Amino acid sequence: MRERVILYSDLNNFFASVETALHPEYKGKPLIVCGDPEKRLGVVFAKNEEAKSYGIRTAETVYSALKKCPQALRVPTHFSDYNRYSKAVREIYARYTDVIEPLSIDECAMDVTDSVRLFGGGEKIAEEIRAAVKNELGVTVSIGVSFNKIYAKLASELKKPDAVTVISRENYKAKVFPLPVSYLLYVGKSTEEALLKHGIHTIGELARADSALLVGLLGKRGEILKINADGRNDEPVKSESDEIKSIGNSMTLPYDVSDAEQIRRLFYMLAESVVSRLRESGEGKCDTVHITVKDEFLRETSRQKNFLTKSSTV
């Protein structure tokens, strides 16, 4: 069986990058994209590299961001532009494969296994995509290349912005195993603390840990994390259907969130994006709203409301 070649793309500071591409005068200045730039209690949707250097974080209040960087430019959201750029980026991806799984407005997984004979190896394809996105659209993307989705996503995070990183069958132990265990997807703060207490500090130590210990410590999730750490995750890339059956957005946070106000702001950010994409699709309305939250234990909690029935739950 052929080795899979998976790419994971992450558009860098996407909303802020689109704003700068459309307004070159913003280049080189600290910039935050926020819901209402006139209200200091608004929410930061995105920030560029210059603003990030001041410690500004996504989903914090504008008031908090301006305390860190008073001179930051405040720009309102333009979701129609972000959706247009997102679509244009995916059209570039589609030059190389039709197996594309959008995971959010700015992240995608791609299976290019069947494309390497035509276009070259995964790294070559990723470099061509990175260059095309930058030259044609004026935004940058970091792309991870690997033999599974977990490692490809990890690779996309290792070098930013505007970079390609390869985690191969030959180098994964040298490149991945020394990394802190917190770098692995689905390892949140409390999971990290539990692992650290048992002497598991790195991804390599997690990969080599006793399965019984991990299951006793974390339940079934412990074995899943061990599989992911060891590069044995075989989850396929799921192609997006041409027919629009649902419109959504999601994000995976690199840290645990328990503050109710911050959670509200995160939901607000995602909802703004979804509503904009719904309007742009021409539908203008939907039958059902569905919200799913996956915690660090990989447990899903879902709520939905169907506007056509009386038995809906919220």
Side-chain angles (χ1 to χ4, degrees), residues 90 100-104 107-109 238-240 277:
R90 291 177 194 174
I100 303 170
E101 180 181 355
L103 297 159
S104 69
E107 296 186 28
C108 286
K238 305 177 184 69
S239 298
E240 184 179 44
R277 292 169 63 192

Short mmCIF file of all heavy atoms in Angstrom, two decimals, residues 90 100-104 107-109 238-240 277:
data_model
loop_
_atom_site.label_atom_id
_atom_site.label_comp_id
_atom_site.label_asym_id
_atom_site.label_seq_id
_atom_site.Cartn_x
_atom_site.Cartn_y
_atom_site.Cartn_z
N ARG A 90 -8.77 27.92 -1.96
CA ARG A 90 -9.16 26.53 -2.21
C ARG A 90 -9.13 26.20 -3.70
O ARG A 90 -8.89 25.05 -4.09
CB ARG A 90 -10.53 26.24 -1.60
CG ARG A 90 -10.49 26.25 -0.08
CD ARG A 90 -11.87 26.05 0.54
NE ARG A 90 -11.82 26.38 1.95
CZ ARG A 90 -12.89 26.41 2.73
NH1 ARG A 90 -14.08 26.13 2.23
NH2 ARG A 90 -12.77 26.73 4.01
N ILE A 100 -10.08 17.56 -0.70
CA ILE A 100 -9.83 18.72 0.14
C ILE A 100 -10.87 18.74 1.26
O ILE A 100 -12.07 18.70 0.98
CB ILE A 100 -9.91 20.03 -0.67
CG1 ILE A 100 -8.92 20.00 -1.84
CG2 ILE A 100 -9.65 21.24 0.23
CD1 ILE A 100 -9.12 21.14 -2.82
N GLU A 101 -10.41 18.82 2.48
CA GLU A 101 -11.31 18.88 3.63
C GLU A 101 -11.16 20.22 4.33
O GLU A 101 -10.20 20.44 5.07
CB GLU A 101 -10.99 17.75 4.62
CG GLU A 101 -11.89 17.73 5.84
CD GLU A 101 -11.55 16.61 6.81
OE1 GLU A 101 -10.68 15.79 6.49
OE2 GLU A 101 -12.18 16.57 7.88
N PRO A 102 -12.11 21.14 4.11
CA PRO A 102 -12.05 22.42 4.83
C PRO A 102 -12.35 22.19 6.31
O PRO A 102 -13.37 21.59 6.65
CB PRO A 102 -13.15 23.25 4.16
CG PRO A 102 -13.46 22.55 2.88
CD PRO A 102 -13.22 21.10 3.16
N LEU A 103 -11.49 22.64 7.17
CA LEU A 103 -11.67 22.47 8.61
C LEU A 103 -12.06 23.77 9.28
O LEU A 103 -12.55 23.76 10.41
CB LEU A 103 -10.40 21.88 9.22
CG LEU A 103 -10.10 20.47 8.67
CD1 LEU A 103 -8.65 20.11 8.87
CD2 LEU A 103 -10.99 19.45 9.32
N SER A 104 -11.84 24.86 8.63
CA SER A 104 -12.31 26.18 9.05
C SER A 104 -12.11 27.09 7.85
O SER A 104 -11.65 26.66 6.80
CB SER A 104 -11.54 26.69 10.27
OG SER A 104 -10.21 26.99 9.94
N GLU A 107 -8.23 26.93 7.34
CA GLU A 107 -7.47 25.70 7.44
C GLU A 107 -8.09 24.60 6.60
O GLU A 107 -9.32 24.46 6.57
CB GLU A 107 -7.38 25.23 8.90
CG GLU A 107 -6.63 26.18 9.82
CD GLU A 107 -6.44 25.62 11.22
OE1 GLU A 107 -6.40 24.38 11.37
OE2 GLU A 107 -6.37 26.42 12.17
N CYS A 108 -7.24 23.82 5.95
CA CYS A 108 -7.70 22.70 5.13
C CYS A 108 -6.71 21.54 5.23
O CYS A 108 -5.51 21.76 5.40
CB CYS A 108 -7.81 23.08 3.65
SG CYS A 108 -9.18 24.14 3.20
N ALA A 109 -7.24 20.35 5.11
CA ALA A 109 -6.41 19.17 4.93
C ALA A 109 -6.57 18.71 3.49
O ALA A 109 -7.66 18.81 2.92
CB ALA A 109 -6.81 18.05 5.89
N LYS A 238 -11.45 13.94 4.32
CA LYS A 238 -12.82 13.84 3.82
C LYS A 238 -13.09 14.95 2.81
O LYS A 238 -12.99 16.13 3.14
CB LYS A 238 -13.82 13.94 4.98
CG LYS A 238 -13.57 12.93 6.10
CD LYS A 238 -14.56 13.16 7.23
CE LYS A 238 -14.26 12.23 8.41
NZ LYS A 238 -13.00 12.58 9.10
N SER A 239 -13.44 14.58 1.59
CA SER A 239 -13.73 15.56 0.56
C SER A 239 -15.02 16.29 0.87
O SER A 239 -15.99 15.71 1.35
CB SER A 239 -13.85 14.89 -0.81
OG SER A 239 -12.64 14.27 -1.16
N GLU A 240 -15.04 17.58 0.56
CA GLU A 240 -16.24 18.38 0.75
C GLU A 240 -17.19 18.14 -0.40
O GLU A 240 -16.81 18.14 -1.57
CB GLU A 240 -15.88 19.87 0.82
CG GLU A 240 -17.07 20.77 1.11
CD GLU A 240 -16.68 22.22 1.19
OE1 GLU A 240 -15.89 22.67 0.35
OE2 GLU A 240 -17.15 22.91 2.10
N ARG A 277 -21.04 33.62 5.57
CA ARG A 277 -20.97 32.60 4.51
C ARG A 277 -22.36 32.17 4.08
O ARG A 277 -22.59 31.88 2.91
CB ARG A 277 -20.15 31.41 5.00
CG ARG A 277 -18.67 31.73 5.19
CD ARG A 277 -17.95 30.62 5.93
NE ARG A 277 -17.95 29.39 5.17
CZ ARG A 277 -17.59 28.21 5.68
NH1 ARG A 277 -17.21 28.13 6.93
NH2 ARG A 277 -17.62 27.13 4.93
#
